[in-house]
Amino acid sequence: MNPGLKLLLVVIIALEISFTTSLIVNLVLIGFSIIYLLIHHISFKQFMGLILWPFFPAFGLFISQWFYGDAGIYFATILLTRIYAYVFIGATFTITTEFVDLALTLEQDFALPSKFAYGVLAAFNLIPKIRQEVQTIKTAALMRGTVLHFWSPQLYFKAILASIQWSQNLAEAMTSHGFVEDQPRTHYRVIKITAWDWIFFIGGLVIVNVMLFVIKL
């Protein structure tokens, strides 16, 4: 499915279940998302992470609503399953979608200005370099007898200075390769929205809305 339409579908479904109180629909969405992730060969470590990381906030919300709320255990269960529905529906996008494909389709099919698309793409690709730079700053500080923790302002200040220098170098590199803002350009890799993409998008919306309308439990 086209990454842009998939992102739009995930956002719409997440917003819709935010304003409904259907336990069964939440469970159906979780089950469908798990099947979708298994089809895309999600690893066991990723699957356990999706279950364990949201467990404490979800369980805390369940307990607080059950013991201190007015709606009882049924509504507490809805809130618990809603959190897991958010997590697993979001995972169907984040785990199965390449960020490069998303940036390209947003530029080509959703009229996102190229400067934003390539800017976000550049920032995403710089993440490994930023991690390396942070480690270099920590090591250099240790050689001077100073320990920089993740909450140390000096660490982030130096990382920001390095990022500013990289952004300038990146802008000059893009200009030297012929990038001109707001000018028509060809694409090495073209991503189009096919008829099947629209069928999956509209079909998914119709199925979810029918379930929300029919299933009241």
Side-chain angles (χ1 to χ4, degrees):
M1 187 176 180
N2 179 272
L5 287 182
K6 187 192 292 185
L7 175 61
L8 185 59
L9 179 62
V10 166
V11 171
I12 292 175
I13 293 175
L15 286 176
E16 287 188 328
I17 63 174
S18 300
F19 299 100
T20 58
T21 56
S22 175
L23 176 62
I24 294 179
V25 172
N26 289 346
L27 294 176
V28 169
L29 290 174
I30 293 172
F32 174 80
S33 300
I34 292 175
I35 294 173
Y36 184 83
L37 292 171
L38 292 177
I39 292 175
H40 284 78
H41 306 291
I42 183 177
S43 67
F44 180 74
K45 181 180 179 181
Q46 288 177 316
F47 183 73
M48 292 306 298
L50 293 175
I51 294 177
L52 295 178
W53 282 111
F55 175 77
F56 292 105
F59 186 70
L61 184 61
F62 173 80
I63 293 297
S64 62
Q65 178 60 41
W66 183 17
F67 288 102
Y68 303 105
D70 299 327
I73 188 172
Y74 179 73
F75 187 69
T77 307
I78 290 176
L79 295 180
L80 185 147
T81 56
R82 183 182 293 171
I83 289 180
Y84 275 101
Y86 289 147
V87 171
F88 278 98
I89 292 173
T92 60
F93 172 77
T94 57
I95 293 181
T96 65
T97 305
E98 293 292 337
F99 187 78
V100 175
D101 294 341
L102 176 63
L104 293 179
T105 192
L106 289 178
E107 182 207 2
Q108 298 175 23
D109 304 318
F110 293 86
L112 181 71
S114 56
K115 61 181 179 181
F116 292 114
Y118 289 106
V120 173
L121 191 60
F124 180 78
N125 289 326
L126 281 176
I127 291 177
K129 191 171 179 61
I130 292 174
R131 290 176 178 169
Q132 181 182 1
E133 182 66 21
V134 168
Q135 188 59 43
T136 302
I137 294 172
K138 285 184 175 180
T139 304
L142 283 175
M143 295 177 66
R144 298 193 304 271
T146 304
V147 179
L148 294 180
H149 301 281
F150 72 89
W151 59 80
S152 301
Q154 294 177 340
L155 180 64
Y156 297 102
F157 180 72
K158 294 181 179 180
I160 289 173
L161 291 180
S163 300
I164 292 174
Q165 182 181 5
W166 295 339
S167 66
Q168 181 64 28
N169 295 338
L170 183 62
E172 293 177 358
M174 292 179 68
T175 303
S176 66
H177 279 75
F179 178 82
V180 180
E181 186 178 335
D182 298 329
Q183 293 296 320
R185 52 188 295 112
T186 58
H187 299 89
Y188 173 74
R189 184 179 176 188
V190 178
I191 297 181
K192 294 182 179 179
I193 300 178
T194 65
W196 281 110
D197 293 328
W198 285 112
I199 290 174
F200 284 123
F201 176 74
I202 297 174
L205 277 183
V206 170
I207 291 173
V208 171
N209 280 279
V210 168
M211 287 194 303
L212 291 173
F213 181 76
V214 174
I215 302 174
K216 300 300 181 183
L217 295 178

